[in-house]
Amino acid sequence: MLDGLCQRFGVLLSRHQGSNRPNELPIAQHIANTMWALSKLKYAPADELALSMVDRMVALCHMLWRQPTPQAISNLLRTCAQLSVPVKQIDTDSLASFFLGSNRGQGTQQNSANTASSLAVIGHLCQAHFTRMLNQMLALSVNHQELSELQLRQLHQALDWLKPPSSAGTLQGDAWLNLKDKLGRLGAWPACDTQPSFGAQLVCAALTQLSLRFKATPVIDGYRPAALLEPIGGGAAIVVAFESTICLKNRPSRLPGSERFRQQLLKRRGKLVLLAPPKAGVGVKEVAEYLKPILTAAAGGSLDAYRR
């Protein structure tokens, strides 16, 4: 049924492309609502259709009286992020610029946090856009529009995604620190309220049995992996986390944007080892035997530097 609905929407988009009746095409709210609903259903439309919707939204930004609201743009970008739509950066830049320059209330704090987070997940967030978003949010905070923990988590993760590598120049590093200061005035990283799972406790018990040094269920960029192994004397750390059980219903091989983003941030902390959640009834010894060769390979052939 969803295939049929998507095909019908595609017909509406394509029927009048290049015609003299552009106003008959779906309006911005129709596009935003359709994409939002598909995201909630974890159903990814064909890339051609999704990109046609994005193209239409970009075109509407230039049509007086038919321009999208900040919320419509925010919802569209959030859906593109979650469904891993291969959207072009020139289009996301156009939508972000219109969102920031809109004179229709400039959006809300939630729309701004969603937009920043979505652009980071897509991989298109730039410092210039993030700076303008933070400036607008700081202005709104003066009027006592405080940020929620979810909004702060979204913004801090976006900031971490923007963090330049250690090899970056001084100017780039100073620009990022300026962003960090602005965000700090909006609020600190909220405490991670995710409780360690039984699987994580089992992995930690197995690591103890293997006599390895590790931090149990640390918080890394707002996520809580099972363990973090750090070698003696420096070197690459190993992050042990579980695979996500969330997938797109019609494209199970395509990672949802949120999961791809989680893996990207965890990889910045060290070599990422993803495990399938342990099955019921599995004991510590079995998990240790399963982990040992995997971690040895991640460590480059020897776990000596990670032993207690």
Side-chain angles (χ1 to χ4, degrees):
M1 183 176 71
L2 286 175
D3 284 338
L5 291 173
C6 286
Q7 289 173 5
R8 177 57 183 165
F9 203 91
V11 169
L12 292 175
L13 278 170
S14 62
R15 178 179 295 171
H16 304 290
Q17 292 285 9
S19 74
N20 295 322
R21 297 180 295 176
N23 287 340
E24 293 186 20
L25 286 164
I27 63 174
Q29 199 59 52
H30 294 165
I31 293 171
N33 290 348
T34 300
M35 291 289 277
W36 178 85
L38 291 173
S39 176
K40 289 296 182 182
L41 293 170
K42 296 182 175 60
Y43 182 92
D47 289 343
E48 182 180 4
L49 172 59
L51 294 176
S52 294
M53 292 190 196
V54 174
D55 288 343
R56 172 61 176 167
M57 190 73 86
V58 172
L60 287 170
C61 291
H62 304 287
M63 295 182 186
L64 194 61
W65 307 118
R66 299 183 71 82
Q67 293 174 332
T69 63
Q71 183 173 359
I73 291 176
S74 177
N75 287 347
L76 177 66
L77 289 173
R78 192 174 188 186
T79 299
C80 287
Q82 185 58 26
L83 298 181
S84 297
V85 175
V87 61
K88 296 174 289 188
Q89 180 147 7
I90 189 173
D91 289 337
T92 55
D93 285 348
S94 294
L95 292 172
S97 296
F98 184 81
F99 174 88
L100 289 164
S102 173
N103 59 2
R104 301 171 72 174
Q106 294 186 333
T108 63
Q109 301 281 50
Q110 186 62 65
N111 288 338
S112 295
N114 285 344
T115 299
S117 175
S118 299
L119 290 171
V121 171
I122 293 170
H124 294 173
L125 182 64
C126 66
Q127 285 195 354
H129 285 155
F130 196 50
T131 298
R132 290 180 63 187
M133 288 180 194
L134 293 181
N135 287 340
Q136 290 184 1
M137 297 175 86
L138 282 168
L140 290 172
S141 69
V142 173
N143 298 323
H144 307 292
Q145 293 192 30
E146 300 298 330
L147 298 180
S148 68
E149 288 191 358
L150 172 61
Q151 293 162 4
L152 285 170
R153 186 173 293 109
Q154 288 176 310
L155 293 170
H156 278 281
Q157 286 182 333
L159 176 68
D160 286 349
W161 184 85
L162 280 172
K163 187 174 182 179
S166 56
S167 58
T170 303
L171 289 178
Q172 192 176 358
D174 289 345
W176 184 83
L177 290 174
N178 183 51
L179 285 175
K180 184 178 181 180
D181 177 67
K182 287 180 184 289
L183 182 51
R185 281 182 271 158
L186 285 169
W189 253 109
C192 182
D193 56 2
T194 304
Q195 296 301 313
S197 64
F198 172 74
Q201 297 171 4
L202 196 59
V203 165
C204 290
L207 293 174
T208 300
Q209 188 172 101
L210 292 171
S211 299
L212 298 174
R213 299 170 61 253
F214 66 94
K215 293 179 180 177
T217 61
V219 177
I220 299 176
D221 288 334
Y223 301 108
R224 195 185 286 277
L228 173 67
L229 285 71
E230 295 179 302
I232 299 173
I238 299 175
V239 181
V240 182
F242 292 115
E243 297 173 344
S244 173
T245 57
I246 300 173
C247 66
L248 301 179
K249 292 181 179 178
N250 62 324
R251 295 194 184 184
S253 62
R254 175 182 285 190
L255 283 179
S258 56
E259 173 57 17
R260 190 181 68 252
F261 187 64
R262 178 184 78 110
Q263 292 184 21
Q264 286 177 351
L265 290 182
L266 292 179
K267 284 177 181 178
R268 294 188 176 196
R269 187 63 183 85
K271 173 73 174 180
L272 179 61
V273 172
L274 290 174
L275 307 174
K279 298 179 180 179
V282 174
V284 174
K285 182 179 179 181
E286 290 88 347
V287 174
E289 291 174 348
Y290 168 70
L291 278 176
K292 187 175 180 179
I294 295 175
L295 295 177
T296 300
S302 174
L303 287 170
D304 291 345
Y306 298 86
R307 298 195 183 281
R308 292 186 289 179

